Amino acid sequence: MVILSLTTLLLYIVAITVVLRRLLLNKQETAWLYASASAAMLLHAIAIAQSMGHMGAGQDMSLLNVASAVSLLIGVVMTLIAHRLNGWILLPVAYGFALLLQGLNSLVPSHYVIHLEHRPELLGHIMLALMAFSLLMIASLFTLLLAYLDYSLKQRKRMTLPHLPPLLMVEKRVYQLILLGEGLLTLSLLTGFLYLQEMFSAEQAAKAILTLVAWCIYLVLLWGHYRHGWRGRRLITLSLLGSTLLALAYFGSRFVNEILLH
């Protein structure tokens, strides 16, 4: 397990280095990038599978296991869309989070065992939730890039980062990602409220409320864009607010229980 984790981290470092060479030195080493990133994410997936299943009966859905899985999903999606969406500059961030979370997952023991094999409805809910969260976090990464572009243009500053995509294209991608993420989040909430009784428990109340508030914020943002053409500051503020609330809903209480109070 230790060798697997170390190899994964080293491959992520190689992928980050290759991306930075592409951005800063204009080195077109695409084959090396895809090879190192693919190998890193494959080993990352194997490590997560082993970590989640090592408890024997049931699955270990600890905070760090889930966070590491989310970072892997984000890395996979970002790698697939980087060329099409001109998102090369965000790859070091995505790979860096994956490296950090997998490293922490290997070093910090925490366990939260559930039995998904007996509850397909819970498995479906979790998969939808993780995919929705990953897409909306990717939207947040593009939102931060949009904020940088917007600030630089308004201040009439020369942008120091090379190979940046046009502002309007980034803005369009943010709305596309939010639309997809909101759709998956809607399905996740529906499956939770229809099939999971624990969604109404006192322990899950804060998570459910925060998720619903984030869902409403994204819905208002999409409605405002469709009806009134909302752009710029409104888009940046509401997108980051929604992602912050989702992060608190998904990981806030479990971070306190599993890490701080462990």
Side-chain angles (χ1 to χ4, degrees), residues 133 136-137 185 211 214 218 241-251:
F133 184 78
L136 291 169
M137 290 305 105
L185 186 59
T211 304
Y218 284 123
L241 178 60
S243 64
T244 300
L245 290 174
L246 270 187
L248 288 173
Y250 280 47
F251 298 117

Side-chain angles (χ1 to χ4, degrees), residues 52-73:
M52 286 186 173
H54 86 284
M55 300 297 292
Q59 294 76 40
D60 186 357
M61 301 295 287
S62 68
L63 171 65
L64 287 175
N65 268 342
V66 174
S68 184
V70 168
S71 71
L72 173 61
L73 281 174

Side-chain angles (χ1 to χ4, degrees), residues 212-231:
L212 278 172
V213 173
W215 180 84
C216 291
I217 288 172
Y218 284 123
L219 187 64
V220 169
L221 177 55
L222 292 171
W223 175 84
H225 175 65
Y226 177 74
R227 292 298 300 270
H228 304 291
W230 285 0
R231 299 174 54 193

Side-chain angles (χ1 to χ4, degrees), residues 20-39:
L20 291 177
R21 282 169 57 85
R22 179 190 183 96
L23 293 172
L24 301 177
L25 303 176
N26 201 27
K27 299 289 186 179
Q28 302 298 318
E29 300 168 325
T30 307
W32 274 103
L33 169 60
Y34 285 133
S36 57
S38 297

